[in-house]
Amino acid sequence: MEKIMMAANLYGIGDLRYEEVPMPQCSEDEVLVSVKFCGICGSDIQRVFKSGAYYYPIILGHEFSGIVRYDPKNELTGKRVAVYPLIPCRHCVMCGQELYELCSDYDYYGSRRNGGYAEYIAVKRWNLVFLPDEVSYEEGAMCEPVSVAHHAVSRLEIKQGDSVLISGAGPIGLIAAQWMKAFGAAKVFLFDIVPEKIEFAVKMGFEEYKDGIEVDAALEGTGYTDALSRCLEAVKRHGNVVLMGNPARSVELSQETYWCILRKELNVTGSWNSSFSPHVNDWNAALKAMAGKEIQVMPLISHIYPLARCNDAFRMLADNSEFHNRVMFRIGED
């Protein structure tokens, strides 16, 4: 008799169903993870309501933690884990250099294959990240955005005493702000179109950005034209700007803003995902910082829903009916 589990299964735009699905089977290079918590990323909201998915039905969710319930090799059962969601092809030029985040033919939990909005998921052994005792399952489910923020902030090359600017005061912006402080920034400014988000950022010890303030570096975290323009205009000559925001539509620059790049000779860099190699590993840095409480993520978790209420959670996020930061699902129970 086929074993079943509960999952949030996406059948099309706006058609998310909490239902029974077959439990995944493990190959020799996989383990079965019982999911404990899984965060809702902004990209998941886009997939559910606007852009759709690569195929249907699909189980979304790429920010998750859990415990290994079954290991075909009987080595890792009982281990507490988070999961690096990108599965590299291992054949392209970038994979050959162990720059797996730049793989040209990658697979991905929660977007290109089933993800963590389920009671169980089969995960490649290579993708497992082992949680230290000091990191809870809730924090483990935040390891992916903490790693992505670390990757982006590292590219800013912040020097001790720098002033920095972040566009977007959502969860990843607030995590990036904490990394900036850890990297030595003296002043961290944020702006956002939602006043409540700025109020929350100020309570966390950061500052609201005002027009006319010059900064040494800026992180664009929204993917919107106005936000990018503001970052480019704020940065000093020879300053660094990192683009991290995933655009939902076209991003355009005015002639005047484009001149900011030329005439100030700005260094503009992109950042996507996180590094996960033996040489550079943002996930190791994330776990160390969370274990030492250098990066605080628990204050950013505003809502925890049971997976059975997946549609309530997504509707709240789509409607912005409540102030929120990171929203996640509680799935497994001890």
mmCIF file of all heavy atoms in Angstrom, residues 3 14 32 48 54 100 144 187 220 222 250 269 271 313 324:
data_model
loop_
_atom_site.group_PDB
_atom_site.id
_atom_site.type_symbol
_atom_site.label_atom_id
_atom_site.label_comp_id
_atom_site.label_asym_id
_atom_site.label_seq_id
_atom_site.Cartn_x
_atom_site.Cartn_y
_atom_site.Cartn_z
ATOM 1 N N LYS A 3 2.377 4.763 0.736
ATOM 2 C CA LYS A 3 2.352 5.672 1.869
ATOM 3 C C LYS A 3 2.005 7.078 1.382
ATOM 4 O O LYS A 3 2.418 7.494 0.307
ATOM 5 C CB LYS A 3 3.698 5.678 2.581
ATOM 6 C CG LYS A 3 4.032 4.357 3.272
ATOM 7 C CD LYS A 3 5.343 4.457 4.029
ATOM 8 C CE LYS A 3 5.646 3.160 4.743
ATOM 9 N NZ LYS A 3 6.921 3.227 5.505
ATOM 10 N N GLY A 14 -3.137 30.678 -8.419
ATOM 11 C CA GLY A 14 -4.257 30.839 -7.505
ATOM 12 C C GLY A 14 -4.904 29.543 -7.062
ATOM 13 O O GLY A 14 -5.940 29.575 -6.387
ATOM 14 N N LEU A 32 15.391 10.900 3.686
ATOM 15 C CA LEU A 32 14.032 11.400 3.865
ATOM 16 C C LEU A 32 14.017 12.340 5.068
ATOM 17 O O LEU A 32 14.335 11.932 6.190
ATOM 18 C CB LEU A 32 13.062 10.239 4.075
ATOM 19 C CG LEU A 32 11.577 10.618 4.100
ATOM 20 C CD1 LEU A 32 11.116 11.075 2.716
ATOM 21 C CD2 LEU A 32 10.730 9.436 4.576
ATOM 22 N N VAL A 48 2.529 31.638 -6.769
ATOM 23 C CA VAL A 48 1.154 31.259 -6.455
ATOM 24 C C VAL A 48 0.148 32.180 -7.133
ATOM 25 O O VAL A 48 -0.885 31.717 -7.636
ATOM 26 C CB VAL A 48 0.937 31.251 -4.925
ATOM 27 C CG1 VAL A 48 -0.554 31.108 -4.587
ATOM 28 C CG2 VAL A 48 1.716 30.098 -4.290
ATOM 29 N N TYR A 54 7.061 26.068 -12.968
ATOM 30 C CA TYR A 54 7.621 25.389 -14.138
ATOM 31 C C TYR A 54 6.726 24.246 -14.597
ATOM 32 O O TYR A 54 6.696 23.911 -15.778
ATOM 33 C CB TYR A 54 9.021 24.853 -13.823
ATOM 34 C CG TYR A 54 10.071 25.931 -13.729
ATOM 35 C CD1 TYR A 54 10.454 26.457 -12.497
ATOM 36 C CD2 TYR A 54 10.675 26.436 -14.874
ATOM 37 C CE1 TYR A 54 11.424 27.448 -12.404
ATOM 38 C CE2 TYR A 54 11.650 27.437 -14.799
ATOM 39 C CZ TYR A 54 12.020 27.932 -13.555
ATOM 40 O OH TYR A 54 12.959 28.923 -13.477
ATOM 41 N N TYR A 100 28.850 26.738 -7.618
ATOM 42 C CA TYR A 100 27.592 26.045 -7.894
ATOM 43 C C TYR A 100 26.417 26.996 -8.038
ATOM 44 O O TYR A 100 25.457 26.699 -8.760
ATOM 45 C CB TYR A 100 27.314 25.022 -6.798
ATOM 46 C CG TYR A 100 28.397 23.981 -6.680
ATOM 47 C CD1 TYR A 100 29.151 23.857 -5.507
ATOM 48 C CD2 TYR A 100 28.679 23.130 -7.744
ATOM 49 C CE1 TYR A 100 30.150 22.908 -5.401
ATOM 50 C CE2 TYR A 100 29.678 22.168 -7.647
ATOM 51 C CZ TYR A 100 30.411 22.067 -6.480
ATOM 52 O OH TYR A 100 31.404 21.125 -6.378
ATOM 53 N N GLU A 144 18.484 29.865 4.778
ATOM 54 C CA GLU A 144 18.614 30.226 3.363
ATOM 55 C C GLU A 144 18.642 31.746 3.177
ATOM 56 O O GLU A 144 19.584 32.271 2.556
ATOM 57 C CB GLU A 144 17.485 29.580 2.548
ATOM 58 C CG GLU A 144 17.734 29.567 1.052
ATOM 59 C CD GLU A 144 17.246 30.801 0.321
ATOM 60 O OE1 GLU A 144 16.512 31.600 0.939
ATOM 61 O OE2 GLU A 144 17.603 30.997 -0.863
ATOM 62 N N LYS A 187 27.058 53.044 10.214
ATOM 63 C CA LYS A 187 25.674 53.490 10.038
ATOM 64 C C LYS A 187 25.011 52.650 8.953
ATOM 65 O O LYS A 187 25.578 52.483 7.871
ATOM 66 C CB LYS A 187 25.616 54.972 9.661
ATOM 67 C CG LYS A 187 25.912 55.929 10.821
ATOM 68 C CD LYS A 187 25.722 57.369 10.388
ATOM 69 C CE LYS A 187 25.869 58.319 11.562
ATOM 70 N NZ LYS A 187 24.754 58.197 12.527
ATOM 71 N N GLU A 220 20.617 47.021 -3.161
ATOM 72 C CA GLU A 220 19.262 47.162 -3.693
ATOM 73 C C GLU A 220 18.554 45.815 -3.551
ATOM 74 O O GLU A 220 18.921 44.847 -4.198
ATOM 75 C CB GLU A 220 19.310 47.598 -5.157
ATOM 76 C CG GLU A 220 18.032 48.265 -5.643
ATOM 77 C CD GLU A 220 16.808 47.369 -5.553
ATOM 78 O OE1 GLU A 220 16.689 46.436 -6.364
ATOM 79 O OE2 GLU A 220 15.968 47.619 -4.658
ATOM 80 N N THR A 222 14.961 45.207 -3.749
ATOM 81 C CA THR A 222 13.547 45.148 -4.119
ATOM 82 C C THR A 222 13.282 44.801 -5.578
ATOM 83 O O THR A 222 12.237 44.246 -5.902
ATOM 84 C CB THR A 222 12.860 46.492 -3.827
ATOM 85 O OG1 THR A 222 13.349 47.488 -4.742
ATOM 86 C CG2 THR A 222 13.109 46.942 -2.395
ATOM 87 N N SER A 250 10.012 44.959 -15.614
ATOM 88 C CA SER A 250 11.207 45.597 -16.181
ATOM 89 C C SER A 250 11.731 46.693 -15.259
ATOM 90 O O SER A 250 10.953 47.415 -14.616
ATOM 91 C CB SER A 250 10.891 46.198 -17.550
ATOM 92 O OG SER A 250 10.557 45.184 -18.481
ATOM 93 N N THR A 269 27.358 45.518 -8.984
ATOM 94 C CA THR A 269 27.526 44.072 -9.009
ATOM 95 C C THR A 269 26.185 43.387 -8.745
ATOM 96 O O THR A 269 25.357 43.908 -8.005
ATOM 97 C CB THR A 269 28.528 43.631 -7.919
ATOM 98 O OG1 THR A 269 29.719 44.400 -8.039
ATOM 99 C CG2 THR A 269 28.871 42.153 -8.050
ATOM 100 N N SER A 271 24.035 39.924 -7.370
ATOM 101 C CA SER A 271 24.165 38.844 -6.394
ATOM 102 C C SER A 271 22.926 37.980 -6.469
ATOM 103 O O SER A 271 21.792 38.484 -6.443
ATOM 104 C CB SER A 271 24.320 39.401 -4.979
ATOM 105 O OG SER A 271 24.475 38.365 -4.040
ATOM 106 N N ALA A 313 -2.498 31.851 4.816
ATOM 107 C CA ALA A 313 -1.204 32.521 4.878
ATOM 108 C C ALA A 313 -0.914 33.281 3.592
ATOM 109 O O ALA A 313 -0.513 34.462 3.608
ATOM 110 C CB ALA A 313 -0.100 31.497 5.156
ATOM 111 N N HIS A 324 3.582 42.192 8.503
ATOM 112 C CA HIS A 324 4.304 40.930 8.621
ATOM 113 C C HIS A 324 5.768 41.118 8.247
ATOM 114 O O HIS A 324 6.124 42.044 7.516
ATOM 115 C CB HIS A 324 3.687 39.866 7.706
ATOM 116 C CG HIS A 324 3.658 40.275 6.261
ATOM 117 N ND1 HIS A 324 2.609 40.951 5.701
ATOM 118 C CD2 HIS A 324 4.574 40.101 5.255
ATOM 119 C CE1 HIS A 324 2.861 41.192 4.428
ATOM 120 N NE2 HIS A 324 4.052 40.674 4.138
#
